[in-house]
Amino acid sequence: MADKKIKVTLVKSVIGTKQSHRATVRGLGLRRLNSSAELEDTPAVRGMINKVSYLLKCEG
């Protein structure tokens, strides 16, 4: 499972969101709008994506 990758893209601004959600977005390696990151498919990363799914677009 860990050999798979997930591509996440920040499609909505973090302005006005909770501080913990902003920290989660930074933890995923996303800085500004439309920035993307390719991450390992692990339960920890899945949990972070689920927490801020309303800000992200996921592929793979």
Side-chain angles (χ1 to χ4, degrees), residues 1-38:
M1 184 170 165
D3 58 341
K4 297 226 178 188
K5 296 275 191 179
I6 299 175
K7 183 179 179 183
V8 292
T9 306
L10 186 62
V11 294
K12 193 166 186 267
S13 175
V14 295
I15 295 172
T17 60
K18 292 182 176 181
Q19 192 66 38
S20 64
H21 290 201
R22 286 183 223 166
T24 302
V25 169
R26 290 293 291 127
L28 289 169
L30 303 172
R31 289 182 172 265
R32 55 184 71 89
L33 216 52
N34 294 318
S35 64
S36 295
E38 227 171 272

Side-chain angles (χ1 to χ4, degrees), residues 37-58:
E38 227 171 272
L39 306 164
E40 294 288 331
D41 186 7
T42 62
V45 170
R46 286 282 178 125
M48 292 171 77
I49 290 170
N50 285 339
K51 183 175 180 178
V52 293
S53 60
Y54 66 100
L55 299 172
L56 306 175
K57 181 179 79 172
C58 299

